[in-house]
Amino acid sequence: MIQLEKIYKWHNNGNNRVFILKDINLSIEEGAFISIMGPSGSGKSSLLNIIGMLDEASEGNYRFLGQDVFQIKEKQRSELYKQNIGFVFQAYHLIDELTVYENIETPLLYQKIRTAERQSMVADMLDRFNIVGKKDLFPSQLSGGQQQLVGIARALIAKPKLLLADEPTGNLNSKQGEEIMELFKKINEEEGVTIIQVTHSEKNAAYGKQIINLLDGRIEKK
Amino acid sequence: MLKNHLIVAWRNLVRNSSFSIINLLGLTIGMAATMLILLWVYTEKSWNKHNEKYANTYHVMSNRNFNGEINTGPDMMFPLPAAAKAAYPEVENAAVVSFGEKTIFTVGEKILTKNTLITTTDFFKIFSFDFLEGDASVINDPDAVTLTQSTARSLFGKGNAFGRTVKINNDRNAVVKAVVKDIPAGSTIQFDALIPFNPSSPQVIADQNEWVNCGNRVFLTTRPGTNIPALEKKLLELIKSKTQGDNPTTRGSLILHPMAKWRLYEEFKDGKNTGGRIQYVSLFIWIALIILAIACVNFMNLSTARSEKRAKEVGIRKTLGSGRGQLLVQFITESILLSVTAVILATGLVYLLLPAFSRLLNEQIRIPYEEPMLWLILAGIALITGLLAGSYPAFYLSGFQPVKVLKGSFMPTRGVLLPRKILVTAQFIVSIVLVSATFIIYQQLQYVKTRDIGFSTNKLVTVNASNQTDKSFDALRNDLLQTGYIASVNRTSSPPSTIFGFTSGVKAINAPVSDNLIIGFMFTDVDLTKTLQARITEGRDFRRGDSLGVIFNKEAIKLMGLKNPIGATVNWAGRNMEIVGVVDNMIMGSPYESAAPLMFRYEDRWSRYINIRINEKADIRKTMAAIESIYKKYSPAFPFEFSFADDEFNQKFKTEQLIGRLSVIFAGLGIFICCLGLFGLVSSSIERRKKEIGIRKVLGASLQQLLLLLSKEFLYLVAIAFLIAIPTAWWGMHRWLENFSYRVVVSIWVFFAVGLLMLVIALLTVSMNATKAALTNPVKTLRSE
């Protein structure tokens, strides 16, 4: 599903080149559940952003579902992204001005799905995550765990093949974190959604089927 | 999708109510001001449009050549219209119309003075009126009179006026054979009553062949497709063929002044139609656009100022699959929603302010609801403002990169503030120019108002004279003086605020010949200087029986080049007269011009006005009651009408006073909207520097030091604006002042005062916002994520 070859990422700081990622080679099959670990500044999030097409590498090749991500046109990339990738953030990043229902619905608006279909999709999702009663509340009226649940629901609404999560439990207490991890596991196993998560916690990383350790922008060989 | 956009827009507005209110307020006020100005412009531009032949109606103007000096005037000869119509088929209709006179109408006990026009048969074919009773044929009946509805009411009450008899000028009876609807305010042709020229009257018979002396206006309509410059030439040829030798009229040229230009292009210079009110109309169109632009700039500023808040939303939407285009549409939708709301609020505001605005301008301004253009323009203002004001924030916001804005807290860099700083500086430039202009307009007004006009208008009252007052004037004067309220009485041919006429025919004997000498003149009798409190500089005032005496003002003596004026002989209209006195210059015409040369000619057989100087200590109310009762005793057939000289004099400042008032209002609005913009800029800058402020506080900075730190950044914007605005204002006001020969010298101190004022206003605005930030507990701002 994902092939990364010789991925480099750097910033120019005066005359110095500061490397964030160095020579990343990675191949991920559909249905994988990968945890990326590493200390602060090791390049975890940068790698995730490149995989998620939010950022470009300075050098290297990236194939996603057979398409060369860095070569195709912006519009095609945007389509590829919209159809296949869902994002979950540490700080949830829900839109404050929208209700739970509307937040979950938003990705569908960008995919030109008809109203009736949208309504049934959102209703299904609310049902599955047990948040029907909260659909008219605004994010500020929810607890952190509930907000992240909405964030995951929103990421999954468009039925992506890949779910990217940047420290999804970082702002939650351990019980809430566990619930989210259980949910990830379930999604991965039952629906075959590929998951890549960045985490600090050994315990959460263990939910993944595979762990990748990053140090100073390189994948550490085990 | 659109629904989602509108929902977000609406919730954003409601949640950030203080921001929304500031933003909406600025936009609404700006739009309301623009709409008011545009309504005024519309009113000005629709003058005379109620006439069916609007496009083909002309007023014949003559460029008279007085020894090389061209004077443009409307006076025309009586037989011209009939002859022109007969000679040239392209002249469809042509009529003589008098300049308008006050006519006394008597119905039983009721005596009223009404403005009357005397005219010939084509009048109703040229100008359009709504006949309530009778029809256009009334003009062919010399014994008929046409009244407007309100004149009919004031003469006959609620009863029917049609067919009733009314006495005209205590002389003859006429029958009301037509009543027309009141003439709209936006019509150049105005009358209360209309009387036909009587073709059998000796005066009219004599005038039929009078091709040199002119005393009326001539209007005509042409057939479509007429070559107007050619017709102008043909008409002049016609006049030349009827006159022997040449005169100022035949030496000059004719102008057919089209109806569309009567209102706004009413000034002529050197025989050319140069402009007039249009200058003010264009000026205010610019002001309207500038105010709208300031309001838009403000809107952009305040919207971008909130980018920090919206940045996160942009980031999230992009990760959820939104393209930049969709975000652009979203932000523009939001700004259009705001601008539509502002248009609705502004329309309401305009509706509320319109009566006051009409009163201020002394013009009937109404909203032309029936005009589809109005709705188009309103929709246009809403859309264009929304697009214009929304585009910059939309492009700026939609350009955010999600990776950056979602990572921790996003803060715009310094460079991002630059365009906004430029915008705010531009706003301040405009405001400073407006404020300086206002100051100078008021200085000029004050300067002219306090000018020494050579006589005193205080407690000087002017009463209309009549043939009855002239008949027993000595008795009337004695009665007036005996009341004890009155110091002096005198008669003149025109009120002291107006020069009776101008002549080029005065020749001083034994003096160098001056060809272009045009002297204003006025007829008067004894006690002229005593009544007006004018200053005799040489010789004496008129005495009883000075029938060949004449008094000049200093300016006239100077222009005539007379060394020893007293006793010198001048010739005027074939008569030799002796100069008995010289008075100091009096400003009877425009107070903005230098003193005109004036001649006072003794005349004790007739007059138009009685000037009455009231004693300094006399009670005005009692005095006026006494004057009225004496007037009624001697002049029972005429209505008692009076005016105070100071009121009349103040009339001369009407336009400038209006310009002054309008500029105060619009300068005030400009500053207000400007400060809203500054407020927005300051708050976003403070948002950006929150952390810095916190650190400085922890390090021990005092409130004053922080305020200075925060203000500095903005005060230099005001300083730059000041440096650009002052030369602009100086140049603009210099040009305006050139319209007046009596004008104030623009002093540099005005600009310093304006600068100081703006500085104080800007400081207040900045510190209002900065104080709050400086007082915030640093623990809050420094808390890390």
Side-chain angles (χ1 to χ4, degrees):
Chain A
M1 181 188 208
I2 292 169
Q3 285 89 35
L4 294 171
E5 281 170 28
K6 295 188 175 142
I7 294 289
Y8 284 82
K9 173 86 184 165
W10 64 74
H11 285 312
N12 285 328
N13 193 357
N15 288 328
N16 295 330
R17 197 167 260 193
V18 180
F19 282 90
I20 297 160
L21 293 172
K22 281 181 218 161
D23 194 22
I24 302 285
N25 293 288
L26 197 59
S27 179
I28 298 168
E29 296 304 318
E30 238 176 303
F33 186 171
I34 293 172
S35 299
I36 303 177
M37 291 196 71
S40 289
S42 59
K44 306 184 297 280
S45 296
S46 301
L47 180 57
L48 200 68
N49 286 337
I50 288 173
I51 295 173
M53 302 177 199
L54 295 180
D55 208 354
E56 286 196 11
S58 308
E59 211 178 279
N61 286 318
Y62 174 18
R63 295 183 74 78
F64 184 87
L65 292 175
Q67 300 213 51
D68 192 332
V69 176
F70 297 155
Q71 299 303 317
I72 56 178
K73 285 194 189 112
E74 170 75 38
K75 212 167 183 179
Q76 288 170 290
R77 186 159 60 226
S78 168
E79 274 311 304
L80 195 62
Y81 170 88
K82 273 198 260 185
Q83 310 270 329
N84 299 301
I85 299 177
F87 243 103
V88 175
F89 303 93
Q90 174 178 5
Y92 332 126
H93 287 334
L94 301 177
I95 297 176
D96 296 334
E97 281 74 26
L98 297 181
T99 60
V100 166
Y101 182 96
E102 289 157 355
N103 260 295
I104 297 176
E105 185 191 26
T106 307
L108 301 179
L109 293 174
Y110 293 119
Q111 296 191 22
K112 309 217 162 53
I113 294 173
R114 274 176 297 112
T115 315
E117 201 179 334
R118 240 165 35 216
Q119 281 168 346
S120 78
M121 286 169 86
V122 177
D124 272 0
M125 196 54 85
L126 288 167
D127 213 24
R128 240 177 85 192
F129 282 71
N130 251 330
I131 43 177
V132 179
K134 306 225 158 25
K135 73 178 170 64
D136 291 325
L137 297 180
F138 286 96
S140 56
Q141 295 165 301
L142 302 175
S143 73
Q146 288 166 337
Q147 288 192 47
Q148 193 58 298
L149 222 47
V150 176
I152 295 166
R154 184 179 65 181
L156 294 174
I157 186 79
K159 304 201 167 34
K161 293 198 171 75
L162 175 65
L163 184 69
L164 298 172
D166 195 350
E167 304 207 30
T169 58
N171 285 11
L172 302 177
N173 63 34
S174 59
K175 186 172 168 285
Q176 290 170 327
E178 246 166 66
E179 281 169 16
I180 297 293
M181 281 302 113
E182 285 298 333
L183 183 62
F184 273 22
K185 204 174 160 192
K186 203 172 134 205
I187 293 164
N188 177 251
E189 281 168 3
E190 290 176 10
E191 293 171 41
V193 176
T194 312
I195 297 177
I196 304 175
Q197 67 165 344
V198 162
T199 181
H200 274 307
S201 135
E202 294 274 357
K203 199 175 125 207
N204 288 342
Y207 281 87
K209 297 174 184 162
Q210 185 190 346
I211 294 176
I212 294 172
N213 281 297
L214 277 182
L215 187 64
D216 297 334
R218 281 180 200 279
I219 296 180
E220 281 204 308
K221 303 265 157 45
K222 290 232 166 124
Chain B
M1 181 65 97
L2 184 70
K3 195 181 130 219
N4 188 275
H5 287 166
L6 287 174
I7 286 174
V8 176
W10 176 247
R11 290 191 189 141
N12 255 315
L13 287 184
V14 175
R15 286 211 181 160
N16 306 288
S17 49
S18 64
F19 158 81
S20 312
I21 287 169
I22 290 185
N23 212 344
L24 259 181
L25 194 68
L27 208 53
T28 305
I29 291 175
M31 281 182 177
T34 305
M35 281 149 90
L36 280 176
I37 293 177
L38 291 182
L39 278 177
W40 172 67
V41 170
Y42 174 84
T43 309
E44 287 292 333
K45 294 220 162 180
S46 38
W47 264 64
N48 291 322
K49 279 204 177 142
H50 61 281
N51 288 297
E52 276 166 38
K53 304 226 164 103
Y54 180 76
N56 296 318
T57 305
Y58 295 90
H59 184 182
V60 184
M61 306 289 276
S62 168
N63 292 323
R64 296 199 163 81
N65 184 334
F66 294 96
N67 301 316
E69 187 163 324
I70 307 285
N71 263 313
T72 307
D75 353 21
M76 276 291 135
M77 47 295 279
F78 190 86
L80 177 66
K85 219 174 132 180
Y88 308 118
E90 60 264 47
V91 178
E92 188 184 28
N93 302 294
V96 180
V97 181
S98 69
F99 280 101
E101 39 275 305
K102 294 208 180 279
T103 303
I104 296 156
F105 289 90
T106 316
V107 177
E109 293 291 292
K110 210 176 262 175
I111 309 171
L112 293 171
T113 310
K114 292 286 168 193
N115 295 316
T116 315
L117 291 182
I118 310 175
T119 181
T120 54
T121 51
D122 277 359
F123 184 80
F124 286 121
K125 291 182 194 152
I126 300 173
F127 301 106
S128 311
F129 297 93
D130 290 336
F131 282 90
L132 297 171
E133 286 183 85
D135 57 44
S137 67
V138 64
I139 205 76
N140 299 318
D141 181 348
D143 290 325
V145 57
T146 304
L147 301 180
T148 63
Q149 200 175 9
S150 12
T151 312
R153 280 221 187 101
S154 59
L155 282 171
F156 299 101
K158 286 209 173 113
N160 200 350
F162 191 74
R164 305 274 293 266
T165 304
V166 56
K167 191 165 206 176
I168 292 177
N169 279 340
N170 296 310
D171 177 35
R172 65 182 182 98
N173 284 323
V175 180
V176 179
K177 290 200 175 160
V179 176
V180 294
K181 236 190 200 164
D182 281 353
I183 301 164
S187 169
T188 303
I189 296 292
Q190 292 286 348
F191 60 82
D192 298 325
L194 193 77
I195 304 169
F197 278 105
N198 184 351
S200 51
S201 90
Q203 179 68 44
V204 171
I205 290 168
D207 278 348
Q208 298 290 4
N209 296 310
E210 177 55 71
W211 282 88
V212 175
N213 287 319
C214 304
N216 293 294
R217 295 178 282 180
V218 169
F219 296 94
L220 52 84
T221 63
T222 58
R223 290 185 203 282
T226 301
N227 180 343
I228 297 302
L231 184 59
E232 286 170 348
K233 290 204 179 69
K234 284 188 204 168
L235 288 175
L236 188 66
E237 286 310 313
L238 179 68
I239 295 171
K240 278 184 185 164
S241 73
K242 301 283 185 183
T243 49
Q244 279 92 41
D246 65 345
N247 62 37
T249 311
T250 55
R251 276 199 299 271
S253 57
L254 292 184
I255 296 178
L256 290 179
H257 195 215
M259 190 179 248
K261 288 187 163 186
W262 289 359
R263 172 67 176 174
L264 295 176
Y265 298 84
E266 80 285 13
E267 281 176 8
F268 293 85
K269 212 171 225 169
D270 294 329
K272 297 219 165 52
N273 191 192
T274 49
R277 269 181 98 81
I278 188 71
Q279 285 179 341
Y280 289 118
V281 170
S282 323
L283 178 72
F284 276 98
I285 291 177
W286 275 110
I287 291 184
L289 291 178
I290 287 172
I291 289 184
L292 193 60
I294 291 186
C296 281
V297 164
N298 220 31
F299 183 92
M300 292 184 202
N301 235 328
L302 289 167
S303 303
T304 8
R306 291 193 343 113
S307 54
E308 298 81 51
K309 241 204 128 261
R310 298 306 292 275
K312 189 185 131 197
E313 187 190 330
V314 171
I316 296 170
R317 284 189 184 270
K318 282 197 170 174
T319 62
L320 295 181
S322 167
R324 189 167 182 188
Q326 282 158 319
L327 283 166
L328 274 176
V329 171
Q330 184 190 340
F331 287 121
I332 295 216
T333 310
E334 279 186 30
S335 95
I336 288 178
L337 180 75
L338 254 177
S339 69
V340 168
T341 316
V343 162
I344 293 169
L345 289 177
T347 312
L349 199 61
V350 165
Y351 184 77
L352 290 177
L353 289 177
L354 207 59
F357 191 60
S358 289
R359 236 174 299 135
L360 177 75
L361 293 174
N362 209 5
E363 255 182 90
Q364 202 57 47
I365 292 174
R366 51 173 220 102
I367 304 175
Y369 296 103
E370 73 286 352
E371 192 81 54
M373 269 305 276
L374 171 84
W375 304 105
L376 274 176
I377 287 176
L378 276 186
I381 289 182
L383 279 179
I384 291 170
T385 313
L387 276 176
L388 218 70
S391 57
Y392 174 66
F395 273 100
Y396 173 61
L397 290 171
S398 63
F400 288 149
Q401 277 184 306
V403 182
K404 287 188 182 148
V405 291
L406 290 180
K407 198 93 209 176
S409 63
F410 160 81
M411 282 299 148
T413 51
R414 253 167 197 280
V416 168
L417 283 173
L418 187 69
R420 284 149 65 190
K421 282 184 174 171
I422 293 172
L423 293 179
V424 165
T425 312
Q427 285 184 321
F428 265 93
I429 292 173
V430 174
S431 296
I432 294 174
V433 169
L434 278 175
V435 175
S436 314
T438 311
F439 262 90
I440 292 168
I441 290 171
Y442 269 89
Q443 273 195 328
Q444 165 73 1
L445 264 178
Q446 211 46 44
Y447 184 65
V448 177
K449 273 186 170 175
T450 52
R451 177 182 189 182
D452 175 17
I453 57 165
F455 68 100
S456 164
T457 56
N458 189 30
K459 290 207 161 180
L460 179 62
V461 67
T462 300
V463 177
N464 61 318
S466 67
N467 51 23
Q468 290 178 325
T469 62
D470 280 332
K471 209 180 291 170
S472 40
F473 185 69
D474 286 337
L476 176 103
R477 182 209 305 263
N478 275 335
D479 277 13
L480 284 173
L481 292 174
Q482 253 154 36
T483 59
Y485 299 133
I486 284 153
S488 172
V489 181
N490 154 269
R491 289 185 289 175
T492 44
S493 54
S494 59
S497 54
T498 318
I499 297 169
F500 184 65
F502 289 88
T503 174
S504 56
V506 177
K507 300 265 180 302
I509 313 292
N510 302 326
V513 181
S514 45
D515 273 341
N516 296 331
L517 185 61
I518 296 174
I519 295 185
F521 64 92
M522 191 186 270
F523 296 94
T524 184
D525 68 348
V526 296
D527 287 344
L528 170 74
T529 55
K530 188 176 168 198
T531 310
L532 299 188
Q533 291 183 354
R535 295 179 293 268
I536 285 274
T537 56
E538 276 179 82
R540 56 169 176 83
D541 200 346
F542 286 124
R543 280 188 202 130
R544 207 167 275 267
D546 258 342
S547 55
L548 287 175
V550 65
I551 293 177
F552 284 94
N553 71 353
K554 266 162 60 177
E555 182 69 15
I557 297 292
K558 197 178 95 194
L559 290 177
M560 287 190 292
L562 286 173
K563 291 263 146 37
N564 299 302
I566 302 302
T569 308
V570 293
N571 182 288
W572 185 44
R575 270 190 167 184
N576 278 339
M577 294 168 296
E578 186 194 338
I579 301 178
V580 299
V582 177
V583 288
D584 207 350
N585 290 336
M586 286 193 251
I587 311 301
M588 292 184 154
S590 165
Y592 303 103
E593 303 295 321
S594 46
L598 274 179
M599 173 175 76
F600 297 94
R601 178 81 179 81
Y602 186 81
E603 176 59 68
D604 61 0
R605 286 158 303 176
W606 65 274
S607 65
R608 296 262 178 86
Y609 295 91
I610 303 170
N611 303 309
I612 300 170
R613 168 69 59 187
I614 299 169
N615 273 330
E616 210 48 57
K617 291 196 182 100
D619 178 81
I620 291 288
R621 198 161 308 189
K622 282 186 197 154
T623 311
M624 290 318 295
I627 294 174
E628 182 170 3
S629 74
I630 294 167
Y631 183 91
K632 290 233 163 106
K633 182 173 147 199
Y634 289 100
S635 183
F638 295 85
F640 174 66
E641 283 165 350
F642 65 92
S643 61
F644 287 97
D646 45 4
D647 290 345
E648 291 298 311
F649 193 69
N650 281 337
Q651 288 290 311
K652 297 177 196 275
F653 300 101
K654 247 170 56 187
T655 310
E656 286 69 22
Q657 220 144 21
L658 179 65
I659 303 285
R661 268 193 224 126
L662 288 177
S663 59
V664 166
I665 293 172
F666 292 122
L669 283 180
I671 296 182
F672 181 71
I673 299 177
C674 232
C675 285
L676 289 181
L678 185 63
F679 193 84
L681 191 61
V682 173
S683 49
S684 84
S685 156
I686 285 174
E687 187 72 20
R688 189 170 55 80
R689 298 176 73 174
K690 234 169 26 190
K691 208 167 173 184
E692 181 195 340
I693 297 167
I695 296 170
R696 284 180 189 272
K697 259 193 113 167
V698 171
L699 296 179
S702 70
L703 177 64
Q704 283 84 355
Q705 284 164 326
L706 285 174
L707 276 184
L708 185 69
L709 176 82
L710 292 169
S711 310
K712 224 166 47 187
E713 184 176 356
F714 300 100
L715 295 186
Y716 84 84
L717 295 186
V718 180
I720 292 172
F722 183 73
L723 287 179
I724 298 173
I726 293 314
T728 317
W730 184 86
W731 178 79
M733 291 322 285
H734 199 73
R735 287 213 25 202
W736 181 72
L737 284 171
E738 273 173 1
N739 286 329
F740 313 104
S741 41
Y742 188 79
R743 58 178 177 249
V744 73
V745 177
V746 178
S747 138
I748 197 88
W749 294 108
V750 174
F751 298 115
F752 279 113
V754 173
L756 203 67
L757 179 75
M758 294 308 282
L759 197 69
V760 170
I761 291 176
L763 259 178
L764 277 177
T765 313
V766 174
S767 42
M768 236 161 44
N769 220 327
T771 317
K772 209 177 90 198
L775 288 174
T776 313
N777 188 345
V779 174
K780 269 189 190 165
T781 48
L782 292 180
R783 193 174 48 197
S784 64
E785 304 280 333

